Amino acid sequence: MWRSFDVGAVVDAMSSDAQVVAGVGGLNRQVSRAKIAATSDQLADVGAGELVVTSIEALLDDGEAWEHLLGRLDAAQVAAVAVRIDGDNPLPEALLRAADAQAVPLITFPSEAVLADVTTAVLDALLDAQGRRLERILDIHQRFTPIVLAGGGAPEIATTLYLLLGCPVAVLDPEGRATVVVPSDAEVGVDFAESRWVRQPILAGEFRYGEIVALTTETELDDEGRLALQRASSSIAVRMAHATAAAAERARFAATSLEELISGHAGDIADVAERAISFGWDLARPRAVLLASIDPPVDQDVVSTALATISAAAQTTLGREVIVWTRSTTIAALIAPETAEPAERRAIAERLRRELDERVVDVNVSIGVGRRVDDPMSIPRSYLEASRAVDVGRWARGRHITAVFDQLGLERLLASTPTEDLAEFVEQAIGPLVDYDRTHQSELVATLGMWLETRNMAEGARRLHVHYNTFKNRLDRIESILGALIDDAARSLECEVAVYVFRHYDGPWHPDGAS
């Protein structure tokens, strides 16, 4: 409270005629204003923080016992009582004892001083004390402001705070770890988590950057000390907020540059190389794009947290050379495989998959990886392949998939075909067989699929756990429905693809929407 001062500070600012004659134990009481109480009625109407200017006559006219009067003033939280002495008569000993007992300071003035002059002296003392306080406050602010303006950080701010407080100071991160300790040897054997130390959170808006711990107790820290602690906290918060904003802006620019790179709009190779150098990226080595995408439906309430976790996992598991950035519901990464073999990229993706399975619980994540490219201008191709891998994987196997583009096989072709065309293809190739199974509760589609897989009746019968003749009779029934296909290679291939689509993909495999 910069507008209030303790009684001792006010007395120090008074003339030498003022003397504290009793109640010295209350010199730390806070004074906020002065008030004249020339009568006993006025003496009864006093309040907290007031330095009451009165006379011995007003005190005697009150009629209360001294201990009762001082007890009432103490209960009203009066700061002190300034009494004008009449003649050479000292204050009653009983009054002095009561003031000492209640720790209510009694300040005396000589008899020639009128009450108005005493009040003026008190007000002048308050103004003088306020001036001194403001000088100290200004000094505290001026200690920290140049550090912030010059770009100084937590070490410089903590050192200044240490010089102001005269006690060791530590700056803790949000997890409670000491990042700065002044003096450095104060850290030995100190538990900064102890509740007895004075603590000040480092806040910027609602964001908490940690706290400052002063190795002193609250009772040992005065108003200026608490102000210095608060000023140091706000200075560190400003520096950290600036650093966070600068890092965020740099991250946004980096993400924009990477988005331009994967979209093919990054400019010529010289522009790409210049940006890569500014961000510390090594794009001279072969790269491949990896996408870790949150599967739909997406809960917007958990997206930001999930993306942060996925990004951290990618930084941890994808190698030192990885370049990671965040998109709307996807973490994108430029990985650096040693070879062009898809198995190596599969292994890299599976490392991330295992980490995500451990750390991400609120969403499902699908991973797609494009092929390795040898120069940065070919990265857009790898990005399209990674996107395709995610889309095809989801299309073929649902959510939570890991797909490497050059390991997709037939799905790469099927996924590019419109669903309506696939439905028509299935209907034309094996539609009557599907209808027969549905009507008769039979297993002719499964039998056809097994024969196309084994091209051997005996092996097919064994796998389906049916008699050889049963299997042969089913094939005869199939050909009676679909026409000859056992000895027709092209027709067999057509049916094999149709059975594959029918088994693996969701969709309206009949033009009329029946399934």
Side-chain angles (χ1 to χ4, degrees):
M1 296 173 57
W2 70 272
R3 293 182 180 274
S4 64
F5 317 93
D6 63 38
V7 176
V10 176
V11 172
D12 289 342
M14 291 179 181
S15 66
S16 59
D17 293 335
Q19 296 183 6
V20 179
V21 295
V24 293
L27 291 178
N28 61 344
R29 288 173 178 255
Q30 295 297 300
V31 181
S32 57
R33 58 188 175 274
K35 181 175 182 178
I36 294 179
T39 66
S40 58
D41 290 338
Q42 293 173 336
L43 192 61
D45 184 23
V46 293
E50 292 180 341
L51 196 157
V52 180
V53 180
T54 187
S55 65
I56 188 63
E57 291 91 343
L59 292 176
L60 292 170
D61 288 346
D62 186 87
E64 286 185 87
W66 296 121
E67 60 269 19
H68 292 161
L69 172 62
L70 270 297
R72 179 168 58 80
L73 295 177
D74 178 48
Q77 299 181 12
V78 165
V81 179
V83 184
R84 183 190 62 191
I85 300 297
D86 289 333
D88 296 328
N89 296 323
L91 294 179
E93 287 294 329
L95 174 62
L96 299 180
R97 287 195 299 272
D100 284 331
Q102 298 293 339
V104 176
L106 284 181
I107 306 166
T108 60
F109 287 87
S111 58
E112 59 268 20
V114 298
L115 290 184
D117 292 337
V118 174
T119 304
T120 300
V122 172
L123 291 174
D124 287 343
L126 280 170
L127 289 174
D128 184 66
Q130 179 173 307
R132 295 179 187 179
R133 173 71 62 80
L134 289 174
E135 287 179 1
R136 291 195 294 271
I137 291 173
L138 182 61
D139 176 62
I140 290 171
H141 283 280
Q142 289 178 336
R143 295 282 192 100
F144 292 105
T145 300
I147 298 175
V148 176
L149 294 178
E156 295 89 345
I157 294 170
T159 299
T160 300
L161 180 62
Y162 164 69
L163 295 174
L164 286 170
L165 298 183
C167 67
V169 171
V171 179
L172 309 184
D173 66 13
E175 285 71 42
R177 296 184 294 262
T179 58
V180 177
V181 179
V182 181
S184 57
D185 58 0
E187 187 174 7
V188 179
V190 173
D191 182 4
F192 296 114
E194 287 187 28
S195 59
R196 61 193 177 109
W197 306 133
V198 178
R199 323 181 82 82
Q200 179 68 35
I202 303 172
L203 301 174
E206 296 181 355
F207 195 88
R208 185 185 180 100
Y209 289 102
E211 62 181 351
I212 301 177
V213 177
L215 301 187
T216 185
T217 65
E218 183 69 29
T219 57
E220 296 171 349
L221 208 58
D222 58 17
D223 288 345
E224 283 78 12
R226 285 189 289 272
L227 175 64
L229 192 61
Q230 294 167 2
R231 187 68 178 88
S233 168
S234 63
S235 298
I236 294 177
V238 167
R239 290 298 306 144
M240 289 185 169
H242 285 172
T244 300
E249 184 60 33
R250 179 178 173 84
R252 281 192 293 269
F253 181 50
T256 300
S257 300
L258 290 164
E259 287 295 313
E260 291 176 350
L261 178 61
I262 64 175
S263 66
H265 298 118
D268 58 25
I269 189 64
D271 293 333
V272 174
E274 182 178 353
R275 289 198 188 186
I277 291 172
S278 69
F279 288 115
W281 299 334
D282 180 7
L283 296 182
R285 63 175 301 163
R287 293 280 183 176
V289 176
L290 179 147
L291 301 177
S293 180
I294 297 175
D295 291 325
V298 176
D299 183 351
Q300 293 298 328
D301 292 337
V302 301
V303 166
S304 59
T305 302
L307 286 176
T309 303
I310 297 168
S311 178
Q315 295 280 6
T316 301
T317 61
L318 297 181
R320 292 185 304 168
E321 298 289 336
V322 69
I323 301 168
V324 178
W325 73 102
T326 302
R327 313 182 80 210
S328 58
T329 58
T330 301
I331 294 299
L334 296 181
I335 60 175
E338 297 293 335
T339 70
E341 292 299 318
E344 181 187 0
R345 279 170 283 131
R346 165 73 64 178
I348 293 173
E350 290 298 343
R351 286 205 305 270
L352 177 58
R353 165 63 63 210
R354 289 191 293 271
E355 187 74 11
L356 294 182
D357 287 346
E358 291 266 340
R359 299 171 60 174
V360 180
V361 297
D362 294 327
V363 297
N364 289 311
V365 180
S366 288
I367 300 173
V369 189
R371 285 180 291 191
R372 191 181 83 154
V373 295
D374 293 330
D375 67 90
M377 306 310 290
S378 298
I379 287 177
R381 186 184 74 197
S382 183
Y383 165 71
L384 291 175
E385 292 171 350
S387 299
R388 194 70 176 152
V390 171
D391 291 341
V392 170
R394 285 172 174 163
W395 184 79
R397 294 185 292 279
R399 301 188 299 172
H400 199 71
I401 57 93
T402 302
V404 178
F405 180 78
D406 36 342
Q407 291 182 331
L408 288 175
L410 181 62
E411 284 96 343
R412 288 163 57 182
L413 298 177
L414 296 177
S416 62
T417 304
T419 302
E420 294 79 6
D421 290 346
L422 285 175
E424 185 177 349
F425 174 76
V426 171
E427 173 62 23
Q428 290 178 349
I430 61 171
L433 204 62
V434 173
D435 291 338
Y436 186 92
D437 274 350
R438 183 179 296 111
T439 302
H440 298 85
Q441 301 297 307
S442 56
E443 299 180 352
L444 297 185
V445 173
T447 301
L448 175 60
M450 184 58 68
W451 182 83
L452 291 170
E453 180 180 341
T454 62
R455 304 297 172 116
N456 185 288
M457 291 189 191
E459 178 63 17
R462 186 184 67 81
R463 292 191 186 183
L464 285 182
H465 307 289
V466 298
H467 193 275
Y468 175 88
N469 289 335
T470 301
F471 192 88
K472 182 178 181 304
N473 290 337
R474 287 183 181 179
L475 288 181
D476 291 339
R477 173 66 67 181
I478 289 169
E479 287 197 310
S480 71
I481 296 171
L482 298 181
L485 60 86
I486 301 299
D487 297 322
D488 187 334
R491 181 74 173 114
S492 293
L493 177 60
E494 179 183 345
C495 290
E496 187 170 9
V497 173
V499 170
Y500 184 88
V501 172
F502 181 79
R503 283 178 170 176
H504 289 83
Y505 308 129
D506 295 329
W509 301 129
H510 294 271
D512 61 1
S515 59

